[in-house]
Structure formats: C-alpha cells, structure tokens
Amino acid sequence: MSDDPKTLVSTEWLAKHLKDPDLRILDASWYLPDAKRDPKAEYDAAHIPGARFFDIDDISDARSDLPHMAPPVEKFMSRMRAMGVGDGHQVVVYDGAGILSAPRVWWVFRLMGHENVAVLDGGLPKWQAEGRAVEDMPPVVKDRHLTVRFQNQLVRDVTQVSQASKLGDAQIVDARSAPRFRGEAPEPREGLRAGHIPGSRNVPYGTLLNEDNTLKSPEDTRAVFEAAGVDLGAPLITTCGSGITAAVLALALERIGVDAWSLYDGSWAEWGMFPTVPVATGDA
C-alpha cells in the first residue's frame, strides 16, 4: 500500500515516524456492548508508545439524545488542547479491532478542518502481530491550541438525508450488515425499526477490509462499491447504525479519490427511531 498521511498509513510508516516531535497518536477504540470489551482498560494495559486515548462516547455532543454525535466545536477544541493535540500536528488514529472506530475520529478531525490525520491500517492488532512495542504508561502532555474550521459539507442531518432519499440527488450508502439492511435482523439498540433508508445501497463495512482487517486496495475498494450499485460519480451520503462504521466507507471513498461524500451523523439510531420517515426492507 502507499502511505498517505491524510487518509491511511501502514504500521511500517508509523514505526519509522514514531519519534517525530509533531506526531500525535490516538487510540480511538470503541465497541458495541455485545463485544464485552472495555477500550479504556485495554488502552491502560497496552497502547502504542505515546498514544493518547480518544473517548468517542465522551468527546461528543452531550446535548443530543443520540449516541456519540459529533462534538460542538468548543468542546472539541478544549479536549484536544488538554490532550496536547493541536495545530501543526500529524495525527494517526488507530483502534483495537483493526479498522472499526478509528475512521470515525479521522472524520471528526476532517469535520473540524484538520486534514493531517490518518488511520493506522490494521490498527493495534497488526502492530502487535508484528511484534512492535507497546507501553502502559500515560504520555506526557503539553497543551497545544487547535484551530477549527468547521466543514459543513462533510456532515448531513435527518432533514437533508430525507430530502436526498426522496429526490435521489445524492446516493445513500449503508455500512450495516446485509441482514440489518434488509430488516431481517434486529437492531442492537432497542426501540428502532428494522430496515433501511429508501433508495439506499448496502456496502457492509467488512466487505472493504482484508482478512487481517486492513483496507482493501483502491482497485478492490472501487469494485466493492460498484458491485453494490453505487454510482461513484454522484454525491454520496454514508450511513450505518450510529455513525461509526459509516466513516469506514467515507475513508475508503477518500482513499480512492472520491471526495463528494458526507456522513449522516445520526444514522439508523436516529432514522430508525423517527416515526415520520419511511423505512424500506429487502434488498436495495
């Protein structure tokens, strides 16, 4: 793979740059409750040297009833300052699954106008499988100011997605599993209807990953989207269960040079709860 400090970097790249003074590494591990994993406890036990823990559920919009919505600008700025992440830094985000939640934090940084941020391909599992160093010590943190330029075009709300679904002026791509998309499997969150946003296509995020949970090559990535009936020339809106794996799709699109995408932050946690928006079932 070719390393790109704005999308995806290899474990080799990170090992080579580990001592760079302006590198900031973030552990953005997050799991659904049924995984029965505690990402903070795992971070405390072993993390890539110098990594800080980015708590996706905490660094979010506390005013919203929806899970881990993008944080308000002021909150993001203050949390990043306290974590010592700021202007002039190259950020690398990883997670403990390989590629699952790290792209969400990549998207949050992009949303805030910070472009020098990449996901670690294969994450902590690949890093550890290669016998690379981990530590259990917290990093030494110095405050650093982070300038935010909010990028409205990278996020969509339920009204905008509803309009896209009706008018067909943007293609909606759902990262959930095929049974959930078709409405055949129950949602992990209680109280949500089953099915998908009318007119959307289904690209389960796992179909974009290799067996070792690294991102597929650009050629294979393009083929996966096209096989699902996604028009890569159209404006795209990615969605999933709660806005986490939708970012895997966004990262994959950015990686293949498709930049007319946005992410539906509320995703199915919002759409599936709203009684006034329609739900489709079955295949796309």
Side-chain angles (χ1 to χ4, degrees):
M1 65 163 279
S2 59
D3 294 299
D4 175 12
K6 295 188 175 183
T7 53
L8 193 73
V9 294
S10 64
T11 48
E12 292 81 9
W13 185 97
L14 183 58
K16 196 165 79 177
H17 292 272
L18 203 56
K19 299 276 195 283
D20 288 6
D22 286 331
L23 179 75
R24 293 294 178 269
I25 306 169
L26 301 178
D27 181 329
S29 302
W30 173 95
Y31 307 100
L32 281 167
D34 61 5
K36 294 184 168 53
R37 290 180 67 174
D38 181 338
K40 180 59 167 65
E42 290 182 20
Y43 164 84
D44 289 339
H47 53 261
I48 294 175
R52 291 113 161 101
F53 184 70
F54 187 110
D55 189 331
I56 286 176
D57 285 326
D58 177 58
I59 305 172
S60 65
D61 190 351
R63 302 164 303 183
S64 175
D65 293 333
L66 296 167
H68 43 249
M69 294 288 278
V73 166
E74 300 75 18
K75 182 175 185 178
F76 183 75
M77 288 173 71
S78 68
R79 292 300 172 87
M80 290 309 99
R81 182 185 291 118
M83 287 168 66
V85 179
D87 294 344
H89 284 154
Q90 169 66 49
V91 177
V92 174
V93 194
Y94 73 86
D95 63 54
I99 289 186
L100 173 67
S101 52
R104 168 72 186 190
V105 174
W106 170 84
W107 171 77
V108 171
F109 272 90
R110 293 293 297 263
L111 184 66
M112 300 295 173
H114 190 94
E115 292 204 343
N116 294 324
V117 55
V119 168
L120 180 64
D121 201 20
L124 187 62
K126 188 169 190 292
W127 181 269
Q128 289 186 297
E130 293 166 352
R132 300 186 190 274
V134 293
E135 64 182 19
D136 58 4
M137 299 174 296
V140 177
V141 171
K142 293 178 184 163
D143 278 15
R144 179 92 159 237
H145 174 72
L146 180 73
T147 304
V148 168
R149 301 173 196 84
F150 194 81
Q151 306 293 308
N152 281 307
Q153 77 278 8
L154 295 183
V155 66
R156 292 290 178 267
D157 63 21
V158 66
T159 306
Q160 293 165 313
V161 175
S162 179
Q163 186 176 17
S165 173
K166 281 186 199 135
L167 301 179
D169 56 357
Q171 196 157 56
I172 302 161
V173 192
D174 193 325
R176 292 175 303 151
S177 68
R180 285 172 67 190
F181 180 86
R182 292 193 296 261
E184 297 164 0
E187 286 297 309
R189 291 175 180 82
E190 286 184 20
L192 300 182
R193 297 172 295 167
H196 59 264
I197 300 167
S200 58
R201 302 286 180 175
N202 187 206
V203 177
Y205 80 93
T207 61
L208 295 168
L209 304 178
N210 297 308
E211 283 185 17
D212 63 352
N213 284 330
T214 54
L215 207 57
K216 285 183 176 175
S217 70
E219 299 75 30
D220 289 348
T221 295
R222 192 172 283 275
V224 169
F225 279 107
E226 288 172 350
V230 176
D231 177 4
L232 293 172
L236 301 173
I237 300 171
T238 67
T239 184
C240 60
S242 65
I244 299 279
T245 58
V248 178
L249 271 55
L251 177 69
L253 290 167
E254 188 75 19
R255 183 95 176 125
I256 61 171
V258 175
D259 57 8
W261 57 264
S262 54
L263 184 146
Y264 174 25
D265 200 10
S267 282
W268 199 255
E270 180 175 46
W271 192 279
M273 179 183 67
F274 256 72
T276 52
V277 292
V279 166
T281 54
D283 291 319

